[in-house]
Amino acid sequence: MANRKTAAERQQAELYAEIREEGFFKSSIRSLSSFKEAGDFAQSGPRAGQPGGMLYSNLGYYLYNHQSPDGARSWEKELHAELGKKLIWPTSARSSHAK
């Protein structure tokens, strides 16, 4: 019979997975150099409910709204701002015709 993980072991494994994903996310986001790369990266990550999923969701929110979501951690907001300084933000056709 296979050994089953206890609730504490599952929780610890999820925490370690989150920490690993945060490290990958931090190093990867710093290497992005275009809006397209950033969008592709945001889409490539884990989904909400999976370890690291909120990082990618928050990045997608930032790219769409040009501001970090309220729930983003301070280090995420710093990474978003750092990335935002490097990107050439697309303009919509509608905003280019605004008076």
Side-chain angles (χ1 to χ4, degrees):
M1 192 164 172
N3 290 337
R4 300 184 87 193
K5 289 185 178 181
T6 65
E9 290 171 328
R10 285 192 303 275
Q11 187 176 17
Q12 187 170 14
E14 289 173 13
L15 176 63
Y16 287 146
E18 182 76 24
I19 291 168
R20 278 192 309 274
E21 194 59 46
E22 283 179 12
F24 174 76
F25 182 86
K26 288 176 182 178
S27 63
S28 297
I29 198 170
R30 288 188 172 112
S31 70
L32 301 174
S33 60
S34 73
F35 192 85
K36 179 173 179 357
E37 281 182 359
D40 290 346
F41 180 68
Q43 291 293 318
S44 73
R47 301 294 171 230
Q50 297 176 323
M54 284 304 297
L55 298 171
Y56 293 85
S57 295
N58 289 347
L59 175 59
Y61 182 96
Y62 173 74
L63 294 172
Y64 186 78
N65 295 294
H66 203 131
Q67 67 181 28
S68 298
D70 291 337
R73 293 170 278 194
S74 60
W75 63 263
E76 283 181 86
K77 292 176 182 181
E78 290 172 12
L79 283 175
H80 294 163
E82 183 182 313
L83 177 63
K85 291 176 185 174
K86 294 192 307 187
L87 298 180
I88 297 173
W89 291 84
T91 56
S92 68
R94 191 172 163 192
S95 67
S96 66
H97 298 310
K99 294 185 179 186

